[in-house]
């Protein structure tokens, strides 16, 4: 069930999703207490539910995906320790280098392959020998689904192999699962199975699941004790956070299965765009709700197409001179997808005339 007939079709991100009526009701009715004392029953319930969904002993509610990753890496690594991660990962590119800035953690970026994976032989070769010249390798980070790599899904077999490799060398495995729910739905596998080999997982409630705020980190009871301390030092110890957790409970119980609709809409958008001259896209690589494509039109670049779409009340961000990213979400219906493909067809056919006025580049 999606909302349709939007005045604006907003495909900039799945973070633009607004809380559902059921979430607002649950927030209104939420029983609360002081969560820094561990006394908010709604936060406690959300944490227990997510821990169970992810097959881990414990979990902790945090303000954002960035905070979830940061408390996780701070809990695994000390100052001067090294974490191996993808060079297109959100932790490496989009979190201000917080692990280094606040934790003194040394990043060891390896090239992400187009499917979002790391070459595990390369990972193994990057683990440091015991030598006083080297930092100590502590952690491998994976991202599933992989944002920059097009919402690609890492398989159960790959996740298991990465965990086995990490543990064989005494390292931990952290999974940035901001869109883990999308990965699990795309694979038709339980989230717990997908992250069985991971020592910690951060999942977002506020992207495709439409909760207003929050992420959850899961791991062993001992790890979560450390994560709670790190959350506090980062200023993330919230008090009556049950009003937020209540929406999160609705998100994980009512909003996961419907992600399949977002995936079907993303594939329909990709297939529609693939039929147009002036767009380059491989629809078969669209596995979840992220649709990356290039404008190959001789007269139009991504910023101009974005502006022309905006004039038609369609929001899609340029992410490079020619590259654009569209993200299907709860507020975008199948009919909206047809409208969007129609708008692209018109804009590309009109060429330079489609983009009048000042070019506006979205942040
Ligand atoms: C959005 C995102 C995050 C961070 O989430 P915020 O809540 O915006 O801090 C982390 N990792 C990935 C892969 C993301 O897409």
């Amino acid at each position: 069930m999606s909302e349709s007939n939007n005045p604006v079709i907003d495909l900039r991100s799945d973070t633009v999703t607004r809380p559902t009526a059921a979430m607002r009701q649950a927030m209104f009715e939420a029983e609360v207490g002081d969560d820094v004392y561990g006394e908010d029953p709604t936060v406690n319930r959300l944490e227990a539910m997510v821990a169970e969904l992810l097959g881990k002993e414990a979990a902790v509610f945090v303000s954002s995906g960035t905070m979830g990753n940061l408390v996780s890496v701070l809990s695994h690594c000390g100052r001067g320790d090294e974490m191996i991660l993808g060079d297109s990962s959100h932790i490496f590119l989009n979190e201000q280098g917080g692990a280094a800035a606040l934790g003194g953690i040394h990043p060891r970026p390896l090239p992400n392959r187009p499917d979002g994976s790391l070459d595990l032989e390369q990972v193994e070769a990057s683990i440091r020998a015991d030598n006083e010249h080297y930092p100590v390798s502590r952690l491998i980070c994976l991202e599933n689904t992989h944002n920059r790599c097009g919402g690609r899904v890492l398989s159960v077999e790959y996740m298991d192999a990465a965990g086995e490799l990490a543990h064989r060398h005494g390292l931990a495995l952290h999974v940035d699962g901001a869109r883990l729910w999308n990965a699990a739905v795309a694979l038709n596998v339980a989230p717990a199975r997908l992250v069985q080999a991971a020592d910690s997982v951060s999942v977002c409630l506020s992207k495709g699941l439409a909760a207003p705020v929050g992420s959850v980190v899961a791991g062993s009871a001992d790890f979560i004790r450390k994560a709670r301390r790190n959350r506090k030092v980062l200023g993330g110890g919230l008090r009556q956070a049950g009003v937020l957790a209540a929406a999160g409970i609705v998100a994980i119980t009512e909003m996961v299965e419907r992600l399949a609709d977002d995936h079907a809409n993303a594939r329909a958008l990709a297939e529609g765009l693939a039929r147009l001259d002036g767009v380059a896209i491989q629809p078969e690589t669209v596995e979840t709700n992220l649709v990356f494509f290039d404008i190959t039109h001789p007269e139009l670049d991504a910023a101009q197409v974005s502006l022309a779409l905006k004039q038609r009340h369609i929001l899609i961000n340029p992410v490079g001179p020619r590259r654009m990213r569209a993200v299907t979400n709860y507020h975008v219906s199948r009919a909206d997808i047809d409208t969007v493909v129609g708008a692209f067809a018109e804009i590309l056919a009109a060429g330079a005339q489609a983009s009048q006025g000042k070019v506006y580049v979205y942040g």
Side-chain angles (χ1 to χ4, degrees), residues 20-30:
T20 64
M23 288 178 190
R24 289 170 188 269
Q25 189 62 34
M27 294 171 81
F28 180 74
E29 291 170 0

Side-chain angles (χ1 to χ4, degrees), residues 64-281:
S64 68
T66 299
M67 183 179 274
N69 286 329
L70 185 55
V71 302
S72 296
V73 301
L74 290 174
S75 303
H76 286 298
C77 302
R79 299 189 71 81
D81 287 344
E82 191 165 74
M83 63 175 177
I84 298 168
L85 77 180
D87 64 357
S88 295
S89 66
H90 197 277
I91 296 177
F92 186 59
L93 290 180
N94 298 108
E95 300 181 8
Q96 277 191 28
L102 303 181
I105 300 164
H106 193 247
R108 181 80 181 272
L110 298 180
N112 275 114
R113 296 187 290 201
D115 68 357
S117 66
L118 300 175
D119 177 342
L120 293 183
E121 283 181 20
Q122 216 178 345
V123 172
E124 187 158 25
S126 304
I127 296 172
R128 306 282 192 160
D130 181 9
N131 177 316
E132 72 179 46
H133 294 86
Y134 299 153
V136 175
S137 304
R138 288 277 182 220
L139 180 66
I140 298 169
C141 298
L142 293 175
E143 186 173 313
N144 198 4
T145 67
H146 200 289
N147 185 341
R148 266 283 185 115
C149 293
R152 298 295 295 270
V153 177
L154 300 176
S155 68
V156 169
E157 296 71 28
Y158 180 84
M159 301 284 281
D160 284 354
E164 191 277 323
L165 168 63
H167 300 148
R168 182 149 41 84
H169 291 274
L171 277 66
L173 175 65
H174 171 69
V175 176
D176 176 356
R179 295 190 180 85
L180 187 81
W181 314 108
N182 296 81
V185 165
L187 292 169
N188 194 25
V189 67
R193 177 66 193 89
L194 189 52
V195 296
Q196 190 174 297
D199 299 282
S200 60
V201 189
S202 173
V203 291
C204 188
L205 306 169
S206 177
K207 285 189 165 158
L209 303 191
V213 176
S215 283
V216 180
V217 174
S220 70
D222 193 43
F223 174 83
I224 293 300
R225 264 192 296 279
K226 288 185 202 158
R228 246 177 234 288
R229 280 188 63 82
N230 283 317
R231 179 184 71 166
K232 188 77 176 85
V233 78
L234 295 174
L238 304 177
R239 301 297 179 170
Q240 285 71 34
V243 288
L244 302 173
I249 290 170
V250 175
I252 58 172
T253 50
E254 294 183 8
M255 301 297 281
V256 175
E257 279 175 30
R258 67 149 303 283
L259 293 173
D261 297 346
D262 293 348
H263 300 174
N265 285 341
R267 187 56 86 92
L269 175 60
E271 285 167 358
L273 293 175
R275 287 192 285 272
L276 304 178
D277 287 334
V279 179
I281 184 168

